[in-house]
Amino acid sequence: MLSSDFVDIEDNLKQENSGGFSWTRDEERKAVRKLDICLIPMLGFLYLVSYIDRGNIGNAYTAGMGEEWGITSGQYSWIVTNYYIGYIAFHWLILVWKFVPLRIWTAIMAFGWGSMSMIQAGTTNFAGLMVIRFLIGAFEAGFVPAVALYMTFFYHRREMGLRYGLFISFSPLANCFASALAYGIVHAKTSIANWQLLFIIEGIPTLFLACLAYFYLPASPSQCVFLDARQNEIISARAITGRGNDQQGKLNFRQVFAAFYDYKNYLQAIIIFCLNTAFGSLPAYLPTILTSMGYTSLRAQGLSACPYLAAFFICVTVSFISDKFETRGIFVVLFSAIGAAGYIILATVHTTGVRYFATFLVCAGVFPAVALTFTWVTDNQGSSSKRGAGLAIFGMVGQCGPILGARLFPKSSGPYYEKGMWICCGILLLASSVTVILRLSLRWQNRQRDAKHGKSDIDYMPEDIADIGDAHPMYRYVC
């Protein structure tokens, strides 16, 4: 499914040309399949361990760190928030991916957040932990937000939905895995505190993957160590066909500044802020909601994994369908509305089984919308320099959402948290409305350009795209 979704089997013998270089459809299919198999899991596992390292503070807090240090709920809230402050403040590091050796940069970032995660085990006061959480956020900001930009170096716009959907779907898997791992660690008999052991054990895989990334991740489409020489040539040539001759290693500042006065980036930033607000509150409060529904704390942790697992399968499926139909907006509208419906049920119904079903609607509705919104940003920024700046704007606004979302469910509003549920519902409906406006605007712009300059489609990429970007009259937006 990964590499055949854009290849017509009947055209296996057709030749494609880029700068005089040609290849068969069958060669392309095999090269892209191998790229998928080798690249996506590596990026995905790095994201998985980053998600575990950012979230282990919650498990450590409940495993005894909070009681041992006497950390108040207010202090804990600041510890969690400080991670996001670092993550937001260093989102501009996305632009570094345009001109640094990517495998070295990724290894440094992963080693940074992994080592900081382990150092948390040796902290002795609130101030020290605040600094470390800020640094974890800063290091992760140097990797996670830039993966969407990195993937555009290899894949066409009509291929990005599924690939990015697979990558980001490692986060619900991380939610499932982290709970089980934390449960096993905190029940271990050791000479050090269980919360300290948790930080150490969960940080070790990140250091291993940092080393692996240094030797394994390709620096460019022509330098994939897992492909042979001809496959590297094919991947490199088709990258130019799909994204234009946009030089890696060079940052176009004109295109960077163009991102700051492009309305699309701000509308999409509003959309992701809304989605992150609704979705960002779930990891911290879904077990609490389940406990308030009558389940024990242990069983609530187990049951909270199921909605995330459903979100994984639905996200991958929807991303694949989105690529097939070459559209994003309609799916963002639909699944935001599904998430809103889940919050309406949670706000109005007190029956345990129905409320648990509603958490599936929220997870399986909002998460695919998040994945497709990220892809949509990369689809409609003509040059890679503008994509990097657009993703920075998008992420810096969007990551404020979890900070708000984490404060919508205070213990005082339990056990049903009606106010928080209604706010999340309204925010998701706002996301749907803004998505409709953006989609209609993009369709109007495409029609205007077709009428004035002639027909074009999303597969055509002008040669001078690096300098003009999506302002090029023959560039067409993905709606």
Side-chain angles (χ1 to χ4, degrees), residues 275-293:
L275 296 175
N276 278 345
T277 300
F279 192 75
S281 60
L282 281 168
Y285 294 101
L286 180 58
T288 304
I289 293 171
L290 290 169
T291 302
S292 71
M293 288 161 57

Side-chain angles (χ1 to χ4, degrees), residues 2 42-43 56 64 148 171 199 272 282 306 337 448 463:
L2 280 180
M42 182 66 203
L43 295 172
N56 56 18
S171 65
F199 285 134
I272 196 63
L282 281 168
C306 297
Q448 290 292 103
E463 291 184 5

Side-chain angles (χ1 to χ4, degrees), residues 302-322:
L303 288 172
S304 67
C306 297
Y308 290 114
L309 193 59
F312 166 79
F313 289 109
I314 292 176
C315 180
V316 173
T317 302
V318 172
S319 297
F320 172 73
I321 296 171
S322 175

